Amino acid sequence: MHPDFLIDRHHKSFPLAASPVQASRIAERGWNVLADDLPYPLAVIRRSALEHNVRWMQDYAQGRRVAFAPHGKTTMSPQLFDLQLRGGAWGLTFATIHQLAVGLEAGMRRAIIANQVVTPADLDGLDALLTRHEGLRVWFLVDSIAQLRGIEDWARGRGRVFDVLLEVGIPGQRTGVRTSAEALELARAIQASPAARLGGIECYEGGLTKCDSAHDVPAVTELVRRVVEIVAACDAQGLLPADEPILSAGGSAIFDLVMPLLQGAGLARPFLGVLRSGCYVTHDHGNYQRLLKLVEQRGGLQDSLQAALEVWAMVQSVPEPGLALLTCGRRDISYDLELPSVQRWAPRGARQAQDAPASWKISALNDQHAYLRLDPSQAVPAVGDRVALGISHPCTTFDKWRWMPVVDDAWTIVDAVETRF
């Protein structure tokens, strides 16, 4: 994976006794997680699952004639951006100008900033990137005339015209216009603006999910109906571009339910549907795993996403029956949606991992410790054993690491990625 980078003692869980190494040459070290060649905790990505996920989601979008612009905020990794782009992604999605700049290191030429750009410093930054990278196209979200006037104030005398998407929101939730009347008023204001060019319409459906198809399907169907109505009204008034306007939606939870919108259902002319899932790239063992089972049921899907990211820790203490302490805490692993789950267990000295007993549960995290609760009458880990923890919501594990090894199915380190949060 490219681009390359140097890993050394300044990177958490890189062996302090080892000499620095370029990521492209780390496989030459012959390091293996279960040989204890690197200190714990250690966040790793399984290559087979990673590559499967990239192929699967690209095929999913392509099979539905929808473009794919995966959300980069999940990983903030130039190496993973490169993998996604080489896998066929139309472009990338970001939330900030800083994130956009990292994406450019992977050779990206098209991007959606699925967020409002408001501050003068960010407009300065976007202007500089567009000037520096000839042929780069970036669309960001606008949801108010107040935001548009701020853009115009910044642009006065500069000659820059920004590409934007009008965001349709959901009452009580995140950003976006709330009504059709507001959308049309804003679209007309953008058309008249010297500083902005309307490229299409955007929405985000993820806030509607309750992991219950009986709720999620009608809720997203109503959002899609409302957005299609706004798109048709804007198009009828000549407010959208003559070439394929963009219709964009889709997180990693209920992306299947916005397909009718992205496919332009009920619209009179072609649109470019752009899906923006992000967490799919490593998936998880909790929140998204449960949500994907519903996507599979609704679509009759087979062989879908696989959990690729886990954090290995060592048992450092078994101070009393029924409790083991692991060398992994809030500094190392996601805990914003739910606590980690115990996935694998490798006794001290073993070079193979086995499924952990179902009764093993993480009950709490400190900064540097995980509390593993278990039935002392069953399998009990010993000091020096290794335990792999699964995550729920990959974004907040990625942002705790400056690098992650990529491992094969024998836990040998074959590559590495960096993060740029």
Side-chain angles (χ1 to χ4, degrees), residues 165-333:
L165 303 177
L166 190 156
E167 181 175 26
V168 178
I170 300 166
Q173 294 199 16
R174 234 160 62 171
T175 50
V177 297
R178 291 337 199 206
T179 68
S180 297
E182 290 173 348
L184 284 167
E185 180 186 16
L186 179 56
R188 287 191 288 265
I190 294 171
Q191 185 184 53
S193 175
R197 180 170 46 238
L198 185 60
I201 309 289
E202 182 273 353
C203 69
Y204 172 65
E205 78 290 346
L208 293 171
T209 183
K210 292 188 176 179
C211 203
D212 176 2
S213 289
H215 168 272
D216 296 349
V217 173
V220 179
T221 298
E222 171 57 22
L223 173 65
V224 168
R225 184 203 63 76
R226 192 161 61 91
V227 176
V228 168
E229 179 184 89
I230 289 170
V231 172
C234 287
D235 208 26
Q237 295 187 28
L239 301 174
L240 295 174
D243 294 335
E244 275 190 325
I246 291 172
L247 291 180
S248 184
S252 298
I254 46 177
F255 52 87
D256 61 315
L257 299 181
V258 292
M259 278 299 146
L261 171 64
L262 302 184
Q263 293 168 329
L267 295 170
R269 66 180 176 107
F271 284 74
L272 176 66
V274 181
L275 177 67
R276 304 191 313 267
S277 305
C279 294
Y280 81 96
V281 70
T282 58
H283 197 44
D284 74 3
H285 300 84
N287 182 59
Y288 287 111
Q289 185 180 77
R290 292 188 294 271
L291 288 161
L292 185 67
K293 289 186 183 302
L294 297 180
V295 175
E296 293 169 346
Q297 292 170 9
R298 291 191 293 260
L301 302 175
Q302 301 293 326
D303 190 32
S304 63
L305 301 175
Q306 302 173 7
L309 174 60
E310 53 195 30
V311 180
W312 281 87
M314 181 172 277
V315 179
Q316 70 179 85
S317 178
V318 186
E320 63 188 56
L323 174 64
L325 278 300
L326 310 181
T327 59
C328 174
R330 296 184 181 190
R331 306 284 186 180
D332 313 302
I333 198 166

Side-chain angles (χ1 to χ4, degrees), residues 134-156:
E134 186 177 356
L136 174 65
R137 294 293 305 276
V138 179
W139 294 261
F140 66 83
L141 307 189
V142 172
D143 75 344
S144 70
I145 290 177
Q147 180 196 358
L148 181 63
R149 296 298 177 243
I151 296 166
E152 291 169 346
D153 288 344
W154 174 91
R156 193 165 290 116

Side-chain angles (χ1 to χ4, degrees), residues 108-151:
M108 171 206 73
R109 307 308 299 159
R110 286 187 289 250
I112 292 174
I113 299 178
N115 206 355
Q116 281 66 37
V117 178
V118 178
T119 69
D122 279 339
L123 293 168
D124 285 343
L126 179 54
D127 178 57
L129 292 174
L130 290 168
T131 300
R132 193 178 307 147
H133 297 273
E134 186 177 356
L136 174 65
R137 294 293 305 276
V138 179
W139 294 261
F140 66 83
L141 307 189
V142 172
D143 75 344
S144 70
I145 290 177
Q147 180 196 358
L148 181 63
R149 296 298 177 243
I151 296 166

Side-chain angles (χ1 to χ4, degrees), residues 20-32 412-415:
V21 63
Q22 292 293 135
S24 60
R25 304 193 65 175
I26 196 169
E28 298 173 10
R29 299 285 170 100
W31 288 338
N32 185 283
T412 297
I413 296 172
V414 295
D415 210 333

